[in-house]
Amino acid sequence: YAFSVYVPTTTLADPEEMESIFEIQSFYTGLELPLALNIFDDAWSIAVSWSANPGGPGATLIGMQNEDVQIGTVAKGVWTDWAFKVKWSHLSDGSIEVWKNGLLVTTRQGGNNYDVTTGHHIRTGIRKPAWKTIGATPTWNDRTYYVANWIIGDGVLTIAEVSPPRIVSKKAKARLLRQGVGLGMRAGT
């Protein structure tokens, strides 16, 4: 999976709540996200959840584990390129490599999935858990991020082949922003 994210310079840090930009979700509801790219207080992080418990989703929830890896400060006003190389497994043979702007920023060996027969799907958008809570007063009501240059590999492509292009003209960037190629959300919508 590879894509580029643009965080506008006007985006204020939220020190109270995480917001997710990219998620791999299980088709089975009730499970934590196997993989997510998050922002919390102007810092990027990768969240991984898994369980090696056999026996389906009910058993999986009992042995669920989570790990959050901090991977640097959010750069605003520029495109940040991301690439993820994942070998899905609920056992120790799973792996994740995360590349940011063409540089390897973290690797992780071990479980990164659930022992269930359902697959995954990609979700991109802004997810702030407090926005789902009826009657909650979110810290920030407006959020806009832009996501472009999606590439999904087949397990054979190299990181270089799936990485978003590093050279995008200022004119092209401005056109993307004008055309609204991005994600914008307002609390309650």
Side-chain angles (χ1 to χ4, degrees), residues 9 12 26 34 37 54 72 100 108 135 164 179 188-189:
T9 56
L12 300 174
S26 171
L37 174 65
K100 179 181 168 191
R108 183 184 177 287
Q179 291 174 351
T189 61

Side-chain angles (χ1 to χ4, degrees), residues 39-109:
I39 297 176
F40 180 76
D41 198 18
D42 275 349
W44 293 107
S45 70
I46 301 297
V48 181
S49 298
W50 72 97
S51 175
N53 281 353
T60 298
L61 292 174
I62 295 169
M64 189 167 48
Q65 300 179 59
N66 301 292
E67 185 177 328
D68 200 36
V69 179
Q70 303 301 311
I71 52 174
T73 303
V74 173
K76 296 178 182 177
V78 297
W79 287 94
T80 302
D81 299 331
W82 294 97
F84 294 78
K85 182 178 180 182
V86 181
K87 179 184 177 197
W88 293 109
S89 178
H90 62 282
L91 302 172
S92 61
D93 62 337
S95 65
I96 299 174
E97 293 179 3
V98 180
W99 301 72
K100 179 181 168 191
N101 294 329
L103 300 173
L104 183 64
V105 292
T106 191
T107 60
R108 183 184 177 287
Q109 294 296 125

Side-chain angles (χ1 to χ4, degrees), residues 103-180:
L103 300 173
L104 183 64
V105 292
T106 191
T107 60
R108 183 184 177 287
Q109 294 296 125
N112 56 27
N113 201 355
Y114 298 97
D115 185 17
V116 295
T117 57
T118 59
H120 299 106
H121 63 280
I122 296 172
R123 181 192 174 279
T124 188
I126 302 169
R127 183 177 66 88
K128 289 182 77 65
W131 286 2
K132 285 177 53 175
T133 306
I134 296 173
T137 305
T139 307
W140 307 107
N141 290 326
D142 294 317
R143 280 295 197 237
T144 300
Y145 299 112
Y146 298 89
V147 178
N149 300 327
W150 274 97
I151 300 170
I152 300 174
D154 60 3
V156 177
L157 297 175
T158 67
I159 288 296
E161 290 171 315
V162 299
S163 292
R166 292 293 300 139
I167 301 172
V168 177
S169 71
K170 287 183 181 180
K171 185 177 180 180
K173 287 180 188 177
R175 187 175 65 247
L176 285 171
L177 293 173
R178 277 195 313 276
Q179 291 174 351

